[in-house]
Amino acid sequence: MRVRETGPWASGYRLVWMLVMFDLPVVEAEERHQATKFRHVLLDHGFAMAQYSVYYRILAGKEAAEAMTKHIAAAAPPKGHIQIVTLTDKQYANIVSLRGREYEPSPENEQLSLF
């Protein structure tokens, strides 16, 4: 999903994509419950699932990313490994995506207008 710039605030360098990647234990019933609860927190905060343990969303800048990081840290289960990566919209546009050995369209081919 690529963002079409629609105003002075919508610079390809100001907008940031946040990727949340995690590996959480799910052996015990309580661990599964905590992992599911964490995924629901991400969905409630507007994240979309790229892969089972990789979620992403766009934010309006560094400050918004820092605030979201605090929300995610507060919701993190006591065990497991969570990584948060932020990319500018320009960097996100350079993602190469493969399905098997075939290239998928570049993220810039999909557009979303923000108001």
Side-chain angles (χ1 to χ4, degrees), residues 4 8 12 18 29-30 73 78 84 103:
R4 182 183 307 141
M18 178 175 278
E30 180 59 25
I84 300 172
Y103 282 95

Side-chain angles (χ1 to χ4, degrees), residues 1-114:
M1 182 180 336
R2 176 105 164 97
V3 175
R4 182 183 307 141
E5 297 175 9
T6 59
W9 61 272
S11 164
Y13 294 102
R14 175 149 167 69
L15 295 173
V16 295
W17 289 88
M18 178 175 278
L19 303 175
V20 178
M21 303 170 286
F22 54 91
D23 184 15
L24 303 176
V26 291
V27 175
E28 303 293 327
E30 180 59 25
E31 292 172 337
R32 286 190 297 277
H33 173 73
Q34 290 174 351
T36 298
K37 186 176 175 181
F38 180 71
R39 284 192 298 275
H40 286 203
V41 166
L42 293 175
L43 293 171
D44 290 346
H45 279 88
F47 283 83
M49 185 173 69
Q51 296 179 4
Y52 187 67
S53 61
V54 179
Y55 287 70
Y56 66 95
R57 74 162 285 179
I58 194 162
L59 296 161
K62 182 179 176 184
E63 296 80 16
E66 289 170 354
M68 185 61 68
T69 298
K70 289 178 183 177
H71 288 293
I72 293 168
K79 295 181 181 177
H81 186 214
I82 299 169
Q83 294 180 307
I84 300 172
V85 177
T86 56
L87 304 165
T88 66
D89 192 42
K90 297 287 187 183
Q91 291 168 323
Y92 185 83
N94 291 325
I95 289 176
V96 174
S97 184
L98 300 172
R99 185 169 303 270
R101 292 186 180 176
E102 299 295 321
Y103 282 95
E104 287 192 335
S106 161
E108 67 186 352
N109 291 337
E110 301 176 33
Q111 295 193 355
L112 171 70
S113 293
L114 298 176

